[in-house]
Amino acid sequence: MRTSRWTALGVLATAMLMTVLDGSIVTVAMPAIQADLGFTPVGLSWVVNAYLIAFGALLLLSGRLGDLLGRKRMFLAGTAVFTAASLLAGIAGSPALLIAARFLQGVGSAMASAVSLGILVTLFTEPRERAKAIAVFSFTGAAGASIGQVAGGLLTDALTWNWIFFINLPIGAAALLLALPALPADRPARTGGGADVIGALLVTSGLTTGIYAVVKIEEHGAGSAHTLGLGALALVLLAGFLVRQATAAQPLMPLRVLRSRSVAGANLVQMLMVAALFSFQILVALYLQKVLGYGAAETGLAMLPAAAVIGAVSLGLSARLIARFGERNVLLTGLVLLVGVLGLLARVPVRASYAVDLLPVMLLAAGFGLALPALTSLAMSGAREEDAGLASGLFNTTQQIGMAVGVAVLSTLAAARTESLTAAGRPAAEALTGGYHLAFAVGAGLLVAAFAVAFALLRTPRKAAPQGPDSEQRRPEAVLTA
C-alpha cells in the first residue's frame, strides 16, 4: 500500500508537471508558431488565452464533478482529453485548429488538475507524510514553469514548434497506464439528486466572462467599456451563483467550505501571491530578452537557478520545517523572502550583471518553495473528505484567477509606464526597465498584503493527539481549524 500511494503521487505530480510545462513551453515558441501558421499579432494571443479561459473557468466545476462522479474517473478522463488535444495541436495546420486544440487542452487540464489535490489528501492522511507529498506536488508546479521555458527553446530550435505538443504524448500515455492501477477507486458522494446544472452554468459562464475580460485588458484598457461591461456581467453571474448555492437543495459548491478560515484565507493569500509572482516568470523573461538581449534558451537557463532552489527547498526542507514550526510560520517566512525577490527586481539596473544583480533574486525565489507547500496544506486542511475535490478545484481556480489578473494588471502598468518614459525621450532599454520597475514594485505590495492576510486569518491546524492504532487514518475534517 505504501508503494502504491507513492506511485500514485508520482502519477499526480507527472500530470501536474505536464500541465504546467504546457502553460510555459508555448510562450517561447510563439514567434515560430506565428511565422509558420500566419497568425496575426492579435490572433496569436489566443494560443495562450484559449487555454487559460478553458482551464480557469472549468476548474471549480470539474472539482465538484469529481466529488460527485469519482475523482479517479475525472482524472483519467482529463488526462486522456489533454493528451488527445496535444496530438491535435501538434498536427494543426491552421490558426483555428490550433486555437481549438488549445481550448481542449485547457478542458483536459481542468478536469485532471481540479481533483489531483483531492486525491492526494485522501491518500496521505498522516500529517508528516502529507506534508512530504504536498511538497513534491508543489515542486512540480513551482519549478515546471522554468523547465518549460528551457524545453520550449530547445525543442523549437532543434526540431520544430510542433514538438512542444508532441512531447506530451508519451508523458500522457505513461500517466494513464500508471494511474489505472495506482490511483484508488473512490466512491462518488451521495447527493440524493442530480448535479446543480443551473449553478454549473452560472459559475462557468461567470468565470469565463471574467477571465476573458482580464486577458483582454492589455488590448482594450482597464477603463474601457469592453472591460468594465464584461467585468460587471461576470460579477452579476458569480453573485447569482453564490445566491444559487445558498438556496439549492444540492449545491455545486456548498458554502460551508468557505466557512473555514483555513480554506477562505489560504485561497485569498494565494490569489495575491500568484498575482504578484506570475510577473516574475513573465516580466523577468521579457527583461532578459528585451533589455539584456538574451535568447530564448539563454533566458530559460538564466532562470533555472530559481527552479533549482525552489526544488531543493520544497523537496528537502519544507516538510521538516512545517512539522517543526507549523504551516503558518513557514508560509510567513516564505512570503518575506518573496517580498525581497520583487523588491530587488524593482531596482534592477538597465545594464545588469547576472551574477551581482540577478542571481541573488533567483536564489531568494526559494521562498516559493516554502510558501506554496504550506499554503496548500492550509487550504486543504479545512475541507471535509467529501469536499476534497471541491477544495482542490477551488484552490486551483484562485491560482488561475490570480495568474490572469496579475499578468493583465502588471503588464498593463509596465506598458503604460514604458510608453510614458518613451514619450519623455528616455532610451528604449531605460523606458522598458522603468516599466518593469513599476510592475515589480506593485507586485511587492501585493505580497505585503498577502503577508498581512496570512498573519491575520491563518492559523496552523491543531493536530489531535493519537487515541488509538487507527488514529493516523483520521479523515481530513478531523483536523481542527482556527
Side-chain angles (χ1 to χ4, degrees), residues 408-433:
V409 172
L410 296 182
S411 296
T412 300
L413 289 174
R417 177 63 174 162
T418 296
E419 185 178 342
S420 174
L421 292 173
T422 301
R426 301 287 182 88
E430 186 178 335
L432 283 169
T433 305

Side-chain angles (χ1 to χ4, degrees), residues 216-482:
K216 300 296 284 184
I217 283 178
E218 193 168 356
E219 179 180 341
H220 294 280
S224 67
H226 179 275
T227 300
L228 294 178
L230 287 179
L233 176 60
L235 290 176
V236 169
L237 290 169
L238 293 175
F241 168 71
L242 292 176
V243 171
R244 170 69 181 177
Q245 300 317 286
T247 57
Q250 299 295 337
L252 182 69
M253 187 185 79
L255 297 183
R256 63 174 180 266
V257 75
L258 296 178
R259 296 192 188 113
S260 165
R261 289 173 62 177
S262 294
V263 174
N267 278 279
L268 179 55
V269 170
Q270 178 175 233
M271 285 186 65
L272 294 168
M273 184 177 78
V274 172
L277 290 178
F278 205 58
S279 66
F280 174 81
Q281 178 188 337
I282 300 297
L283 298 182
V284 170
L286 290 174
Y287 168 78
L288 290 171
Q289 294 185 55
K290 291 188 174 183
V291 177
L292 299 186
Y294 285 31
E298 287 179 296
T299 298
L301 291 172
M303 299 182 72
L304 264 186
V309 295
I310 289 171
V313 171
S314 61
L315 295 177
L317 286 176
S318 63
R320 283 181 284 177
L321 292 174
I322 287 171
R324 181 171 181 180
F325 299 106
E327 290 92 339
R328 178 176 181 266
N329 291 331
V330 173
L331 170 61
L332 293 175
T333 302
L335 288 172
V336 170
L337 293 177
L338 293 174
V339 170
V341 168
L342 295 189
L344 289 176
L345 286 173
R347 303 181 61 184
V348 70
V350 176
R351 295 178 179 84
S353 162
Y354 181 81
V356 174
D357 299 307
L358 293 172
L359 185 57
V361 170
M362 302 299 171
L363 297 179
L364 281 176
F368 199 57
L370 293 176
L372 189 58
L375 190 59
T376 304
S377 181
L378 286 165
M380 297 302 295
S381 67
R384 301 180 180 184
E385 184 176 348
E386 61 268 25
D387 293 332
L390 172 61
S392 174
L394 179 62
F395 192 69
N396 282 287
T397 298
T398 56
Q399 185 178 86
Q400 291 303 308
I401 292 173
M403 288 168 58
V405 172
V407 169
V409 172
L410 296 182
S411 296
T412 300
L413 289 174
R417 177 63 174 162
T418 296
E419 185 178 342
S420 174
L421 292 173
T422 301
R426 301 287 182 88
E430 186 178 335
L432 283 169
T433 305
Y436 299 144
H437 282 172
L438 176 61
F440 291 135
V442 173
L446 292 175
L447 288 173
V448 171
F451 182 94
V453 172
F455 185 85
L457 295 183
L458 297 181
R459 297 290 183 271
T460 293
R462 297 190 295 274
K463 311 298 190 298
Q467 297 176 351
D470 62 342
S471 59
E472 289 186 352
Q473 302 303 319
R474 189 173 287 108
R475 298 197 314 174
E477 65 268 29
V479 179
L480 181 62
T481 56

